[in-house]
Each structure stands twice: as C-alpha cells, then as structure tokens.
Amino acid sequence: MSTDITQLLFAKAAKIPIDKVIKSPHFNLFEGTNALEIGNAKLDTGSITLTGEELHFDCSQVRSLSEVLWISDSLLRSVFTWLDNASLSVTVLSNRYAEELLMNYNTGKDKNLNSCLFYTSESPTENALVDKVLRSVVLGTLAFCNLCAGLAHNGTVYEEEDINPTAMNLDLLSLIDGAEIAREIEWSIEYLKENYEYHEDCDILVQILTILLNFLDLTYFFGIKVANGDKPLAFDIEILKGLLKVCESLRGQLDYLNKLPEIKGCYSMGIQKRLDNRAPIKALVSYKQEDYTSLVTFVKDMISMFEIQHRTEPSDVINYVTNFSNYPHHVLSRAIFPIFLLRDDGSILGSENVKEFLVSEMVGFNCYGSGAFTSENIIIKKKMDEFINGLTMNYLEYLQSFNQNSCRQRQHLLKIVLSFDSLQVSAESLEMEMEQTFLIKDNINQNGHTVPALPLTCWVYYKKLSIMINIIFKGFHLQLYNTWEYLSMYWTVLNLITNQLEILQRIQKHILTKLQAMKNHPQHVTKLRQSLGRVINELAYYRMLNSLTVLQILNLRQLKSMKIITVPEFPFSNEEKSFKFRQKSFKSIGVPPQPTFSDFQQFQGSKEPSFEEFKSQVNELKKSINENITTLLSSRSCNNGINDKQCQDWTNLFKRSMVGICLNGAKEGYNGQEYKVEVMREGFHGFFPVLKCVKK
Amino acid sequence: MGQRNHLHHIKSASQPLIQESFPLNEHPAMVQISYSQLDIHNESDIKALQTLISVDLSEPYSIYVYKFFLNQWPNLCYIARDAETSQVIGTIVSKLEPHKGTRSRGYIGMLAVKTAYRGQGIAKKLVRLSIEEMIKSGADEVMLETEVVNAAAIRLYENMGFLRSKRLFRYYMNQHDAFRLILPLTERSVVRSTFLEPLKDPADAGKLKDDMDLLTANLSTSSF
Ligand SMILES: CC(C)(COP(=O)(O)OP(=O)(O)OC[C@H]1O[C@@H](n2cnc3c(N)ncnc32)[C@H](O)[C@@H]1OP(=O)(O)O)[C@@H](O)C(=O)NCCC(=O)NCCS
C-alpha cells in the first residue's frame, strides 16, 4: 500500500523558512553529511541538462551492422571501465539500450526474457540486428555485470573501493537463467554468420558475442576441484586459452573500432536524473578508457590461477597464494581468487578442508613426527584439537588477506598479527604442559644444553614474524615512509629478520636431530628431507632479505652522516614521537621485544664504518645476496610449474634493487649542500626502493 | 567560543610574484594577511569559504557537510583574508572528536588557499592555528586524508611532522589513492586503541557543546 504524500509534503515545506536548515532529532549531523543537496550544481542530479539527441534517442531505430558493432564494442568496454573504479550509472547503465531493456525487464509483470525489450511498441520495420543481435549483446553484458556485482556483494573484495555494485535499484537480470541468454547469443552468432558472412564487421561482432557467451559459464570455473597430485585440467584450460585468443584478437581490432563513428545520444547522464540515485552528479566515463587490456589481463589471470593444478605439496599452495598477492591483478580475478581457493564447503580448492591443510602444512614444515600430532592420549588430542581449531580460524583470515588490494593487505596483516601473537602464547603453554605433564619430549641441543624444541610454538612464531616483516616491507612498497624514516624502518625490520633467522636455524637443527635419530627409517627420512629443503629455502630468503636490508642501512647511514638525508625540525612533533608511532603496530607484542627509541639512538650513535670498510662490506653483502638469490631461483617455488615465471621475476627484482642501491648510493665526497635523494621505484623491488643521490 | 575573532596579523614572507601565477602583481610586494577564527554568524564569510573550497577540492560537499563541521567546531575553522581587500583567500575546516572512545583525534577536513595567494606560507599558518587550537582542547593526534598526487599538501603536512599511516585504495571519486596522514601529539597516539583506557570525559575530546543546543542556537540567528 502506498500513500500519496505530495500535498502533505508541499504543505509542510511551505512552512519552512527559505535558506534554513532544519535538523530532525531522528538523525545526527554526521549522517547528514551523506545527504545530497537540491540546487547544488555538483550534487543535484535534477540539474543535469540533456542534449536533443539524448532526449530524443530512439531505441527502435533500425541500425546498420557497423552501428550495432559500435554499440556492442562500447558496451563491452564499458563493463571494464566500470570495473576500473567507476560506477554503473556512468558506464554500462548510461547506455540507452541497456537502460531501456533493464527498465522494461524491471517493470515487466514477470521479470523474464520476454520483458527484456528495447521498446514496447510494435517495431516499425524488420529489425533483427537491433531486436535480436544487439539485444543478445545487451543481455550477455548485463548478465556479466550481474555476476560481477554479485562478486562484490559476496565480500571477497570491498564494495565501492574495489567494485561498486550499485545499480540504481535495478535488478541486473538476476532472475533470468544464463542458458536462456546463451541461446539468444548463439542465435545471433548463427544469424550473423548466415547473413553477413562477408561483412568485415561480422567477425568482430561474433568475437564480442563469443566472449559474452564464455562469460556466462564463468562460475563453472570457480567450482573446479583441484586435488593434490590430481590429473591436469587440460580441457578446462584449453577453453580459457581459446577465450584468450578471441580477446587478444579483439584487442587487435582496436584502431578500427576506435574509428567507428559514435552514435550521438547513445550514452547519456539521463539515467542519473531518471532513476533512483543517491550519488552526486557524475560525469560519464568514456568507454575508450578501456582498450581491452584489462579484459586480456583478466583472462590471463584466470589461466594462471589454474596452474595450481600442478600442486603436490602444501607449500605449493602457500607459494601460489603468496605469489598472487605479490602482483597486481584485475579486480575480478581478486574477487574470484578466494572463491576458487577457499570453497563454501570449507575446503581448499574443493579438496582437503582448511584444518587438514593447515596440519599438513605444519607437519610438512617443522612438525613431522611431533608428539603433539602423533600422541594417542585423549587429553592431548582434545587440547590439540582446540588449539588447531583456533589456529585454523586465524589461518583462514590470513589466507583471505592475499587477494585484497595492496593497501588493504597490509591492514589485514596488522590485525592478524595480534591473533598470531596470542596463539604463540597458547602454543607455548600447551607444549610445556605436554612436556611436563604428559612427558612428551621433543628436544634439541642448544649450546650444549638439551632444551624443548617446541615445534608448534616455533611454527606460529615463524608465521608471526613473517607477517610482521611483511607489514614493514609493504609499508615501503606503499610509500608510507619518508626518506628520513627509512633508516629506522630498515633497522626495525632487520631486528625481526634476525629473529626469524634464529628461529629457522633452530627449526633446521631440530629436523637434523630427527633425521639423525630416524636414519634407518627411509619413509621418515624422505619426509624429513622434504621439510629440510623447505627450511633451507626459507633461510635463503631471509638471508637475502637480511643482506639487502644491511646494504640499505649502510647506505642510509652514509647519507645521514653526509647530511644528504636529515630529520626535519617539526613544530608539534619530533623524531622520537614519530619513531614510537611507527612502532605502535607491534607495541603489545611480547616476543621479540620491540626496540626502543634509545636503542635506535644508540645504534645511530655507534661508530660508522669508514668508506673503505663500507665498500668491502658492500662487496660481502653483494656476494651473499647473489648466492641466496641463486638458491631461491633453483628452489621448488620457482620450478614447480605454478606461476614459475612470476616467482622468478619477483626474486630477480631483489637483485635489481641490490644493483640499484650500489650504483646510486652515497659516494665518497658527497655532501648535503650539493646533493639530495630521489626515490626510484620503477624496475626495483617494492621492498627496496633505491635512493638516488642527485645534485640539488 | 570565547576566542572568536581572535585575529592574527602576520606579514607573510613574500616571494617574488610571477605574473602568470600571481595575478596580484599590482599589489605591493608585501601582502598583508589577517587570520581569524570563523564567526558562525558571518554568512558572507561562510559563503566565501564554501566557494573557495568548492573551486579547489575535488570532492563535492553539500551544505550539510559544512554544517557538520562549522556548527560543531567553529573554533577549529580559520579564515585568511587579504587585509587590504578583506576578501577571504584561504580557509581551514576541522573537527575534534573521540576516536574509538580512547583518543581525542583532530581531523582536518578541508584546506584551501586561493591560487593567486599560494606559496606564501598561508596554508602553513592556517594549519598551525588549527592544530594549536586542537592542542588546547586536548587533542592526542591530528589526522587527515590527501590524494597521493597532491605533492603540495603532502609536503606541507609532512614538514609539520605528519606521517603516512595508511594508503587508501582509490579513495577519491577521481580514482586516486589517498594517504591517511597522522600527526602524533601525545602518548595516547602511539598506543593501539585496543590497549588504551577509554577517555574519561568525551567532552575532553574537544566537542564544544551538544550538537543539538548549538544547532538550535544557530538556527535562530543564522540563515546559513
Ligand atoms: C595545498 C595548499 C593549501 C597549499 O597552500 P599554500 O598557501 O600555497 O601553502 P604554503 O605557502 O603555506 O606552503 C606550505 C608548504 O607546502 C609545501 N608546498 C606548497 N606548495 C607546494 C608546491 N606547489 N609543491 C610542493 N610543495 C608545496 C611546501 O612544503 C611549503 O613549505 P615550504 O615553502 O617551507 O617548503 C594549496 O595549494 C591549495 O589550496 N591547494 C588546493 C586544495 C588542496 O589541495 N588542499 C589540501 C587538501 S587536504
């Protein structure tokens, strides 16, 4: 039941004095800041003026094949400009055909395919190119938009900042079965081939229709099961590769497509006036901002996502996930990745559940043969189960951070690190209890003393440190630090890396002790050797980070002593406050203890190496970096058939940073009066931007 | 609001005025600028401030956004005037509120200086005035967001000790990422809010009066 309030509104409004703002007690002023304002030229969509072409645009007009191609191409490209941080109202929905069809569908009696029309009156003439072919393009496009909007609602990426799914209260054909739309598209392809075979535009239009047809099946791919050591999914990947070819060929036609004459009035801001719209006035985003590169990127992303079919070990999945987070991706791939990786049924890739996966990952790393996992004692089993359940929840959150945009990833990690810190405390007390009460002994020899190996605690600590190290390094990547902060940040991360190396060495020793003890049991030896291999690779990675960090620190100390980098004088703050602010993220963390500002000052005050010493240290560091990079490049993570090229490129960027730092850093005789630094990022690793000394 | 109309007259250290970028070339080399807190009853100043901001900032603000800031924290809004013409040529709009109930957080919402008057330290002065006022009201930190490509604003704030605490992905309507900048002032600012005691008296956080009182008071006198 609706009530007409027009008269009431006018009567009430007449009593409001002009130019006054009345605040209702039902909302606070902050809520008001989201309100739109009538009469405000930037906010009131009522003030949009339309051209004659827009006002009189006629969707029933007969169109030539070229015109239909232009509309189809611009519409498909609009989807990708939408996904590039625009809203639907200024991209896809600003297309008059899309608007009309959706309006008719949404207002139709029983929202079905029959109501998906461009116009409701009788068609003046035979109009198959518009009524059938163009219609199927619009149907396919909107169905794809519906899928994308659904992904945004799903919560794997952020609504608004990643994908803005607001569709002005229109349902994007969610009630129509994809198979029905597929039939329409297939009909159009047949029709075009029969009637326009020799027309140059026919092929391109068929390509567009083929892409849309493939997109209708996209969700099938999210659900494919990828079990450990399974048969490769050759057939599915061939389909995607075929799609990639079509997309690349379409991109190859770009010059031609860009020369097609535009149809005036076909894209319009009118929908912002006509429909429910809670947004300020927004200018249209031209479809030309997309050159089909993001389409190609997206399909390539999908193909590379399937390389996980070669997995045989838990570490393969970890590398795969880390690799995904290291590179920028199309937002759709980011939205799909976690759906593909972490299924609704709680499994990883449709196979083992997350908890099983986590246990196999821990056992495969440093917990092989640990009493904690092998004990038959009921109490221990129960306690372990509780602990692993808690760990699984946090681990899941950790896995869900990898597909986020680079800014969010760091924020997710900042939250997770606190949970890992408390998990470490629980792990330690659990293991101590197992040792003391249940006499489950798992020892190593540390400096001549026998000490508990604490494999669970070590694993959690190792993960926690890797998260902390990542948080600081990602800060460099996101350009969060000023150059005068570089020294303290690298110094802070060096402390963490040193701790990580200690823990990894302890783990290595533990595995070696076990290998010695089990040398007559070949099946154990194989497993332990695998674990050892992983630990050795981790050691190589952190040793490489360690040396590069020291290299950066040495250079920064030179730059500081030459006064090329100085800490500015601040009116309201100072270096100490800034230092503490940066340490705040980890302030509550017990181990490793966080360094204080006076520790940092002490370090800064320590004797600096002479230039000769500096040079010889640099040579040592370069040697260590190169050696460790060689180890990493020959390791499993770069050679398991899963995104190998990307892993290698990522590793090689560290080498480029090393070279960059050595070439551009401080040179003897430089000083702050003549020189300043510029930060160079392009071509270098994001964790190690290169500071270049340039003349002022 | 006792400090309203507390004028700061300073001589800006003038830079050579280049004709293109400074259509003020007919003015004497030293431009007198006066600074004052906003008088919430002065409609023409408010209109001038709105115009200035809508020309210079990329985000569109409704009248309600201005109301939100100006009515609740008029003491944190400053105006810079060309002393000769009395024309409003710069402004800063801010607020101060408890953050997660544990910290008093100042926020600089808008800052703009008319193009012809830029590069003379006017923004710097406005920011200082506003932050000093926040400190008086017990601010623990000051925050703001700015586009990663706004080199002038980033430099201005960083030279005052602001640090980039977060990068915000595609924060602005024009697609740019933003930095969240924070200026830590007290110990509270360097402890994660989870580990802080709640603020005792939210009024400490610098809110002048209850929203409602202020608004009713203003509605009866101002037609803004
Ligand atoms: C940003 C803005 C307010 C600066 O106003 P201003 O009065 O010219 O600034 P000031 O003269 O006080 O300059 C203060 C500092 O800012 C920095 N700065 C100002 N203009 C700069 C420029 N073009 N490039 C780089 N740094 C600049 C400098 O560090 C300067 O200090 P220094 O001269 O001692 O080095 C002004 O450019 C403006 O209104 N821009 C449009 C609106 C806007 O971007 N607002 C900020 C959004 S948060």
Side-chain angles (χ1 to χ4, degrees):
Chain A
M1 269 278 288
S2 57
T3 314
D4 184 351
I5 59 159
T6 318
Q7 288 314 316
L8 184 71
L9 182 72
F10 283 154
K12 291 271 179 200
K15 290 190 191 138
I16 301 176
I18 290 167
D19 251 9
K20 295 216 167 170
V21 175
I22 307 294
K23 177 179 169 293
S24 151
H26 300 301
F27 64 90
N28 65 36
L29 283 179
F30 188 69
E31 289 168 283
T33 58
N34 287 324
L36 298 174
E37 182 187 351
I38 293 173
N40 181 322
K42 286 188 179 176
L43 295 170
D44 181 359
T45 47
S47 63
I48 295 173
T49 47
L50 301 176
T51 62
E53 283 121 345
E54 287 174 281
L55 285 169
H56 303 116
F57 192 83
D58 178 8
C59 288
S60 69
Q61 195 177 322
V62 176
R63 299 279 178 198
S64 68
L65 186 64
S66 295
E67 285 177 317
V68 170
L69 175 62
W70 180 82
I71 301 165
S72 307
D73 161 56
S74 57
L75 191 60
L76 180 57
R77 286 205 248 171
S78 292
V79 179
F80 287 87
T81 53
W82 165 49
L83 293 172
D84 189 22
N85 203 235
S87 61
L88 276 168
S89 64
V90 293
T91 52
V92 179
L93 298 185
S94 70
N95 178 297
R96 291 304 307 278
Y97 291 95
E99 181 189 348
E100 289 306 317
L101 183 139
L102 268 185
M103 282 305 291
N104 287 324
Y105 160 79
N106 275 270
T107 52
K109 257 212 306 285
D110 26 46
K111 298 192 176 170
N112 58 24
L113 201 58
N114 297 334
S115 49
C116 293
L117 300 168
F118 294 141
Y119 51 93
T120 43
S121 56
E122 277 291 299
S123 170
T125 43
E126 177 63 17
N127 205 355
L129 275 181
V130 173
D131 293 349
K132 297 291 283 181
V133 178
L134 182 57
R135 176 169 171 265
S136 63
V137 169
V138 175
L139 287 169
T141 306
L142 291 172
F144 181 49
C145 290
N146 186 49
L147 170 75
C148 302
L151 287 170
H153 288 308
N154 206 328
T156 53
V157 288
Y158 285 84
E159 277 190 33
E160 298 270 332
E161 73 182 44
D162 285 320
I163 298 179
N164 184 344
T166 313
M168 315 186 100
N169 273 351
L170 291 172
D171 175 300
L172 298 172
L173 311 185
S174 70
L175 300 174
I176 298 181
D177 187 5
E180 282 189 80
I181 297 176
R183 273 196 295 279
E184 297 292 318
I185 295 178
E186 280 158 356
W187 187 95
S188 298
I189 294 175
E190 280 309 304
Y191 174 82
L192 287 171
K193 284 184 176 164
E194 267 170 35
N195 295 281
Y196 293 90
E197 197 190 345
Y198 300 108
H199 197 300
E200 57 182 333
D201 293 342
C202 173
D203 280 352
I204 311 180
L205 199 46
V206 168
Q207 284 175 351
I208 291 177
L209 285 160
T210 309
I211 291 167
L212 290 170
L213 192 61
N214 274 275
F215 280 170
L216 287 169
D217 287 333
L218 218 49
T219 45
Y220 159 78
F221 289 91
F222 312 170
I224 294 177
K225 181 176 163 184
V226 190
N228 235 341
D230 227 3
K231 281 198 298 291
L233 312 162
F235 178 68
D236 298 312
I237 292 172
E238 276 317 304
I239 295 177
L240 289 175
K241 284 188 175 159
L243 175 60
L244 179 62
K245 264 199 194 130
V246 181
C247 296
E248 280 176 334
S249 157
L250 182 60
R251 183 167 63 171
Q253 309 287 342
L254 202 75
D255 285 344
Y256 175 74
L257 290 167
N258 279 339
K259 283 191 197 115
L260 292 175
E262 298 195 4
I263 300 174
K264 293 241 158 66
C266 185
Y267 286 86
S268 167
M269 286 165 75
I271 192 165
Q272 297 181 49
K273 260 170 112 80
R274 290 185 285 270
L275 288 191
D276 188 2
N277 181 22
R278 299 173 57 86
I281 299 181
K282 290 183 192 159
L284 297 185
V285 177
S286 166
Y287 66 92
K288 285 194 175 161
Q289 286 194 10
E290 162 67 6
D291 55 7
Y292 285 127
T293 300
S294 23
L295 168 70
V296 169
T297 307
F298 166 58
V299 179
K300 280 187 176 164
D301 273 351
M302 288 292 291
I303 294 171
S304 103
M305 225 182 270
F306 275 97
E307 289 186 16
I308 192 58
Q309 64 168 325
H310 300 294
R311 76 176 173 125
T312 54
E313 287 181 17
S315 65
D316 291 339
V317 177
I318 305 298
N319 287 330
Y320 168 71
V321 169
T322 315
N323 183 61
F324 189 85
S325 80
N326 287 342
Y327 282 92
H329 296 273
H330 191 268
V331 66
L332 272 186
S333 328
R334 288 203 288 105
I336 292 168
F337 185 79
I339 298 177
F340 177 62
L341 179 74
L342 305 163
R343 305 291 164 86
D344 280 348
D345 62 2
S347 72
I348 295 249
L349 296 158
S351 175
E352 66 271 44
N353 71 40
V354 179
K355 190 170 158 186
E356 286 162 4
F357 175 79
L358 171 65
V359 169
S360 64
E361 152 66 3
M362 293 173 83
V363 170
F365 190 66
N366 71 323
C367 299
Y368 185 77
S370 297
F373 289 99
T374 54
S375 170
E376 289 299 325
N377 181 309
I378 293 178
I379 304 175
I380 293 180
K381 277 188 140 178
K382 187 165 170 287
K383 288 194 180 228
M384 266 302 280
D385 201 48
E386 273 168 24
F387 174 74
I388 296 290
N389 283 342
L391 187 58
T392 306
M393 262 167 49
N394 288 291
Y395 194 64
L396 194 60
E397 252 181 71
Y398 172 66
L399 290 177
Q400 282 163 343
S401 68
F402 290 92
N403 73 308
Q404 297 305 329
N405 64 56
S406 54
C407 305
R408 289 282 181 184
Q409 269 184 38
R410 186 168 179 276
Q411 291 165 33
H412 278 233
L413 294 180
L414 274 168
K415 274 198 206 128
I416 296 167
V417 76
L418 296 184
S419 325
F420 270 80
D421 190 47
S422 41
L423 282 164
Q424 187 186 337
V425 177
S426 325
E428 190 164 345
S429 64
L430 178 61
E431 286 191 302
M432 292 313 286
E433 192 187 344
M434 284 198 264
E435 147 120 15
Q436 282 157 9
T437 315
F438 299 95
L439 304 177
I440 293 185
K441 304 261 182 219
D442 204 349
N443 292 328
I444 45 168
N445 189 309
Q446 191 94 309
N447 309 324
H449 300 282
T450 303
V451 292
L454 305 178
L456 277 187
T457 316
C458 283
W459 188 88
V460 179
Y461 189 29
Y462 148 76
K463 270 285 165 215
K464 181 180 88 176
L465 280 168
S466 72
I467 295 171
M468 292 168 81
I469 291 167
N470 252 322
I471 290 172
I472 297 190
F473 276 131
K474 281 183 190 287
F476 282 101
H477 173 68
L478 296 173
Q479 310 182 11
L480 293 185
Y481 316 127
N482 221 305
T483 47
W484 63 264
E485 295 179 274
Y486 271 34
L487 181 59
S488 61
M489 295 318 293
Y490 279 117
W491 178 77
T492 307
V493 82
L494 185 63
N495 174 44
L496 298 173
I497 297 172
T498 310
N499 279 281
Q500 183 74 309
L501 285 170
E502 274 171 20
I503 203 79
L504 285 167
Q505 276 156 353
R506 186 187 162 119
I507 288 173
Q508 186 183 26
K509 193 178 261 179
H510 184 206
I511 298 174
L512 287 171
T513 310
K514 280 194 176 164
L515 261 173
Q516 182 62 25
M518 299 198 176
K519 60 177 182 241
N520 297 327
H521 303 273
Q523 81 275 28
H524 294 313
V525 169
T526 316
K527 292 278 178 204
L528 285 164
R529 286 239 166 90
Q530 267 179 6
S531 297
L532 193 62
R534 279 194 64 192
V535 175
I536 287 171
N537 284 338
E538 284 298 277
L539 273 166
Y541 178 65
Y542 286 102
R543 279 184 182 134
M544 183 268 298
L545 285 184
N546 185 78
S547 302
L548 253 172
T549 305
V550 173
L551 180 67
Q552 197 69 303
I553 288 175
L554 281 178
N555 187 39
L556 283 160
R557 288 198 71 180
Q558 295 287 338
L559 292 169
K560 275 204 153 177
S561 78
M562 293 167 166
K563 303 219 165 8
I564 296 176
I565 291 180
T566 51
V567 183
E569 294 268 330
F570 301 123
F572 303 106
S573 175
N574 54 39
E575 192 184 3
E576 181 171 1
K577 258 187 219 168
S578 307
F579 179 90
K580 286 182 169 169
F581 181 80
R582 289 301 186 195
Q583 303 288 329
K584 151 169 143 175
S585 324
F586 302 149
K587 193 163 175 169
S588 68
I589 285 178
V591 262
Q594 294 310 294
T596 62
F597 183 62
S598 69
D599 294 336
F600 177 59
Q601 273 180 316
Q602 222 170 7
F603 157 75
Q604 288 210 88
S606 63
K607 190 180 157 297
E608 279 191 41
S610 69
F611 223 88
E612 279 312 308
E613 287 166 333
F614 171 66
K615 278 198 294 200
S616 89
Q617 283 185 22
V618 167
N619 284 333
E620 280 298 305
L621 291 167
K622 274 161 67 174
K623 204 168 138 235
S624 144
I625 295 165
N626 279 323
E627 278 170 12
N628 286 303
I629 287 183
T630 308
T631 308
L632 290 171
L633 288 173
S634 61
S635 75
R636 184 174 167 81
S637 59
C638 286
N639 302 283
N640 55 2
I642 308 166
N643 312 138
D644 289 348
K645 170 86 172 54
Q646 287 158 315
C647 294
Q648 288 157 14
D649 289 350
W650 168 259
T651 309
N652 277 320
L653 279 178
F654 287 110
K655 200 177 228 170
R656 296 199 53 149
S657 277
M658 174 192 80
V659 174
I661 295 166
C662 294
L663 283 179
N664 296 288
K667 301 272 178 321
E668 204 162 5
Y670 280 10
N671 63 62
Q673 260 139 26
E674 287 175 83
Y675 285 91
K676 61 175 184 173
V677 283
E678 265 173 16
V679 185
M680 298 199 300
R681 298 178 176 278
E682 203 48 44
F684 299 113
H685 199 287
F687 294 177
F688 294 95
V690 171
L691 294 177
K692 183 180 184 182
C693 291
V694 290
K695 284 244 176 190
K696 273 185 174 167
Chain B
M1 286 193 292
Q3 293 148 14
R4 201 181 292 148
N5 294 331
H6 159 217
L7 286 172
H8 300 255
H9 284 274
I10 61 149
K11 266 189 190 153
S12 75
S14 76
Q15 298 180 347
L17 299 178
I18 305 159
Q19 194 157 349
E20 297 82 44
S21 52
F22 293 104
L24 287 179
N25 63 330
E26 285 159 22
H27 284 238
M30 301 288 266
V31 184
Q32 281 273 107
I33 307 290
S34 70
Y35 298 87
S36 58
Q37 260 170 339
L38 173 78
D39 173 0
I40 190 75
H41 303 291
N42 186 334
E43 279 172 52
S44 68
D45 276 3
I46 291 174
K47 281 256 148 53
L49 165 166
Q50 269 179 274
T51 313
L52 195 67
I53 288 168
S54 73
V55 169
D56 279 321
L57 295 188
S58 57
E59 301 292 284
Y61 295 116
S62 76
I63 187 175
Y64 311 107
V65 178
Y66 291 103
K67 270 233 146 283
F68 170 71
F69 280 99
L70 303 182
N71 285 69
Q72 299 185 91
W73 300 276
N75 61 325
L76 299 182
C77 173
Y78 280 83
I79 279 179
R81 249 180 251 282
D82 182 324
E84 217 167 284
T85 61
S86 286
Q87 195 196 16
V88 175
I89 52 94
T91 187
I92 185 162
V93 174
S94 324
K95 68 173 178 137
L96 182 64
E97 278 188 303
H99 171 64
K100 297 186 178 165
T102 56
R103 230 184 259 140
S104 170
R105 179 184 268 189
Y107 177 79
I108 298 179
M110 307 168 203
L111 167 73
V113 172
K114 225 177 165 147
T115 320
Y117 290 82
R118 287 186 191 166
Q120 307 182 65
I122 296 173
K124 218 188 288 188
K125 180 73 186 168
L126 286 166
V127 173
R128 284 185 84 129
L129 287 170
S130 178
I131 294 177
E132 277 162 11
E133 189 64 28
M134 291 179 194
I135 292 174
K136 268 196 243 157
S137 310
D140 293 307
E141 65 189 12
V142 185
M143 185 192 100
L144 60 97
E145 286 104 20
T146 185
E147 282 175 64
V148 294
V149 291
N150 194 342
I154 292 175
R155 215 168 121 190
L156 159 70
Y157 291 119
E158 287 193 335
N159 283 343
M160 294 210 165
F162 279 83
L163 302 167
R164 303 174 196 181
S165 79
K166 271 185 194 172
R167 189 180 177 115
L168 307 166
F169 190 67
R170 303 196 142 178
Y171 188 72
Y172 285 97
M173 268 170 63
N174 62 9
Q175 305 213 346
H176 285 133
D177 285 2
F179 283 125
R180 170 157 299 159
L181 301 183
I182 292 199
L183 171 68
L185 293 170
T186 69
E187 271 304 302
R188 283 187 164 263
S189 179
V190 297
V191 177
R192 274 177 99 154
S193 55
T194 335
F195 305 103
L196 282 175
E197 296 270 304
L199 285 173
K200 280 194 207 75
D201 179 4
D204 284 353
K207 246 188 168 179
L208 280 181
K209 265 193 189 180
D210 178 55
D211 292 354
M212 218 26 222
D213 293 359
L214 240 168
L215 204 71
T216 343
N218 287 322
L219 273 175
S220 52
T221 48
S222 151
S223 59
F224 160 50

